Amino acid sequence: MTRRKMHYYRFNGDAENVIEAGKPLYSQIRGNWNESFFNNPNPIILELACGKGEYSIGLGKVFSDKNFIGMDIKGDRIARGSAVASEMGLSNVGFLRAGIRYAREFFEQHELSEIWLVHPDPQVRDRDENKRLTNPDFLNMYADFIRPGGMFHLKTDSDFLYDYSLDMLGKSGRFCVVEHTADLYQSHLVGEHHGVQTHYEHIFTKKGYSIKYIKAKLL
Ligand SMILES: C[S@@+](CC[C@H](N)C(=O)[O-])C[C@H]1O[C@@H](n2cnc3c(N)ncnc32)[C@H](O)[C@@H]1O
């Protein structure tokens, strides 16, 4: 392990706003986020594949009456988000380091009011569909976590993932797509992203890609 990675691993171990393997809450947090982590009854929004957590931090600043969890498998990225959230005093933002396929271990049915999936890897090869974070199995799991009437949001730079996700959401029987655009910045939905640009969004907009956005409601 590089010294840089070691630094981030130690950082997460000490960070109160990070839940990861080895910490007591890791095995106890399911169904207990409000009482045991945020210490308030406010709605919880989960950002999947959060990277450095720009979305959770950005939304956490705008909505102090909501709680945000950034979830990612990469400890170094989470450590950076954790440090920024702490520096900003955002007690409504936390991080979970775990693989998304294990999310049922951390969230109970209807525990979340919204899920955001922001610039996930599109996994374009057919043989990687099992890793694609909007495949039918993942969508079904997200639907279990979201409260009735709650929302699922996807932002992506990938035309492939946008078309695939629209198709899968439409066929899911669990979600209804309420808004979508292939060019968020030129659409009336631009306010929906609250001016928050993540690391990957910045890279892809600079390269000239349009940002695609889908908002789907739980049926
Ligand atoms: C392309 S990056 C996007 C990061 C961030 N959302 C952004 O927009 O800058 C994709 C992120 O998804 C995470 N990721 C991919 N598959 C995952 C999985 N199955 N479980 C947890 N994290 C995952 C990666 O670690 C990486 O940080």
Side-chain angles (χ1 to χ4, degrees):
M1 188 184 297
T2 63
R3 219 189 289 179
R4 192 176 129 266
K5 281 210 166 163
M6 186 65 88
H7 165 76
Y8 287 125
Y9 284 125
R10 285 212 191 99
F11 182 94
N12 284 342
D14 294 336
E16 283 184 11
N17 60 3
V18 176
I19 294 183
E20 64 175 4
K23 294 191 178 184
L25 278 180
Y26 189 75
S27 57
Q28 297 162 10
I29 198 63
R30 184 173 189 265
N32 295 312
W33 283 93
N34 283 109
E35 298 76 14
S36 303
F37 190 82
F38 292 112
N39 302 310
N40 66 48
N42 296 339
I44 302 172
I45 292 119
L46 174 65
E47 180 195 3
L48 293 168
C50 70
K52 298 179 203 159
E54 290 100 335
Y55 233 74
S56 292
I57 291 167
L59 295 185
K61 273 196 293 188
V62 178
F63 301 103
S64 57
D65 57 347
K66 294 181 182 176
N67 299 316
F68 296 86
I69 304 165
M71 181 176 188
D72 202 288
I73 193 63
K74 294 208 172 140
D76 54 338
R77 294 186 181 175
I78 277 190
R80 297 193 204 190
S82 158
V84 173
S86 296
E87 279 161 28
M88 298 175 91
L90 294 173
S91 57
N92 61 333
V93 177
F95 294 90
L96 171 63
R97 183 175 176 221
I100 292 164
R101 68 180 63 252
Y102 305 109
R104 285 194 193 278
E105 295 175 25
F106 308 102
F107 302 103
E108 203 167 68
Q109 193 176 31
H110 302 164
E111 194 167 9
L112 305 173
S113 64
E114 290 178 39
I115 293 181
W116 280 83
L117 179 56
V118 182
H119 298 283
D121 306 300
Q123 306 288 2
V124 294
R125 293 183 304 189
D126 282 352
R127 68 170 190 239
D128 288 333
E129 189 178 6
N130 63 335
K131 296 186 209 156
R132 212 174 289 149
L133 291 172
T134 53
N135 76 28
D137 291 341
F138 280 118
L139 290 182
N140 206 34
M141 177 171 72
Y142 307 155
D144 287 345
F145 300 151
I146 298 174
R147 288 182 194 166
M151 295 291 176
F152 171 78
H153 309 257
L154 170 72
K155 276 174 93 177
T156 179
D157 44 81
S158 160
D159 288 322
F160 168 81
L161 190 68
Y162 175 65
D163 291 340
Y164 173 86
S165 304
L166 275 176
D167 192 23
M168 292 303 121
L169 283 160
K171 289 175 178 161
S172 70
R174 312 250 354 234
F175 290 99
C176 163
V177 173
V178 287
E179 307 258 29
H180 65 98
T181 172
D183 193 350
L184 177 64
Y185 289 13
Q186 302 305 320
S187 93
H188 73 282
L189 300 171
V190 68
E192 304 257 334
H193 84 144
H194 305 284
V196 185
Q197 212 179 45
T198 64
H199 180 64
Y200 276 82
E201 186 162 332
H202 182 65
I203 291 172
F204 281 97
T205 47
K206 269 184 89 175
K207 285 183 181 171
Y209 285 68
S210 68
I211 302 303
K212 278 63 79 175
Y213 171 64
I214 303 173
K215 178 171 162 183
K217 187 172 184 174
L218 189 78
L219 291 171

